[in-house]
Amino acid sequence: MQELRQMLRRVPNFPKPGISFKDITPILNNGEAFTSVIDALCGLAALHSPTKIVGIESRGFILGSAVAYAMHLPFVPARKKGKLPAETVQARYALEYGEDVLEMHKDALVPGDRVVVIDDLLATGGTAEAVCHLVESLGAELSGLLFLIELTELQGVKRLASYPVHVLIRE
Ligand code: AMP
C-alpha cells in the first residue's frame, strides 16, 4: 500500500484552484500495481458475499468492472444524469456549488441483491451516499463500499456511518 501511495499523482489546482486532484492513472498504467489494487478490492468485496458490484461514473467503472469480472459477478453502472437509455431511478446530491443527479437503471437490482459499491475516491461522501440511496430504493441491500483513496480530512466516512466502508489508501 505504501508503494501504491507513492504512485498516486497529486495534481495541484485541478480541475480548479485549491483542489489537489488525486490522479490514479499512474497506478492503472502499471500492470503489477493495477493487479494488486484489483486483488485487494476483490478480497474486501468477498467479505460481504455480494451478488452484484456497482461502479460510480467514471473511475469507479474502471475498478468496479475489473472486480466484477474477477469475481464472476454482474456489474451495474451508476451514471450521471441523462446517460442511461432505459427507465431509471435518480438521486440528487450536493456539489461544492449546486447539485447533481446520479441514475441507475430501474431493473438493474432486485430485492435480495447484496451490493458492493466501488469508486476511486471518497471525499465528502455525497456521491457515494446518493448511490446508497439508489441501491436501497430498488430494494437491494447495501453490503459495503470500497474506495481506493479516502481524503480523511473531509470525514466522508461519517456520512456513510451506517455502512461498512473499506479504503486502501488514506490521504
Ligand atoms: P464526494 O462526493 O465529495 O465524496 O466526491 C467523490 C467523487 O468526486 C469521486 O467520484 C471522485 O472521483 C471525485 N473527487 C472528489 N475529490 C477528488 C480529488 N481531490 N481528486 C480526484 N477525484 C476527486
Side-chain angles (χ1 to χ4, degrees):
M1 285 314 139
Q2 192 53 35
E3 277 175 53
L4 288 178
R5 182 195 301 279
Q6 283 167 3
M7 293 178 76
L8 201 59
R9 179 157 53 198
R10 296 147 185 95
V11 184
N13 302 314
F14 182 89
K16 50 189 175 189
I19 304 284
S20 167
F21 191 87
K22 312 303 181 232
D23 176 21
I24 66 166
T25 64
I27 295 175
L28 304 178
N29 200 359
N30 178 303
E32 288 300 321
F34 187 23
T35 302
S36 67
V37 163
I38 299 305
D39 288 349
L41 292 175
C42 286
L44 294 168
L47 299 174
H48 302 289
S49 306
T51 60
K52 288 185 181 167
I53 303 293
V54 168
I56 305 178
E57 186 169 359
S58 60
R59 290 177 294 275
F61 291 175
I62 299 168
L63 304 175
S65 61
V67 168
Y69 174 82
M71 295 181 78
H72 297 246
L73 288 174
F75 176 77
V76 175
R79 298 211 65 178
K80 306 271 169 64
K81 189 181 162 83
K83 304 282 187 182
L84 290 170
E87 213 181 332
T88 62
V89 285
Q90 304 188 339
R92 287 177 194 289
Y93 62 106
L95 296 173
E96 204 176 342
Y97 303 103
E99 58 174 26
D100 214 340
V101 175
L102 278 169
E103 297 184 330
M104 207 179 275
H105 273 146
K106 248 186 185 161
D107 59 2
L109 302 173
V110 292
D113 273 330
R114 288 187 310 279
V115 172
V116 163
V117 172
I118 302 186
D119 202 1
D120 66 327
L121 185 141
L122 172 62
T124 66
T127 309
E129 188 183 34
V131 174
C132 293
H133 291 154
L134 287 178
V135 167
E136 290 175 337
S137 74
L138 293 173
E141 181 189 325
L142 199 300
S143 304
L145 297 116
L146 311 183
F147 301 92
L148 176 50
I149 307 151
E150 177 195 358
L151 303 183
T152 53
E153 249 181 31
L154 296 177
Q155 303 194 324
V157 278
K158 279 195 181 162
R159 204 153 169 178
L160 305 172
S162 45
Y163 308 104
V165 175
H166 305 275
V167 173
L168 296 186
I169 301 171
R170 290 192 171 77
E171 278 274 292

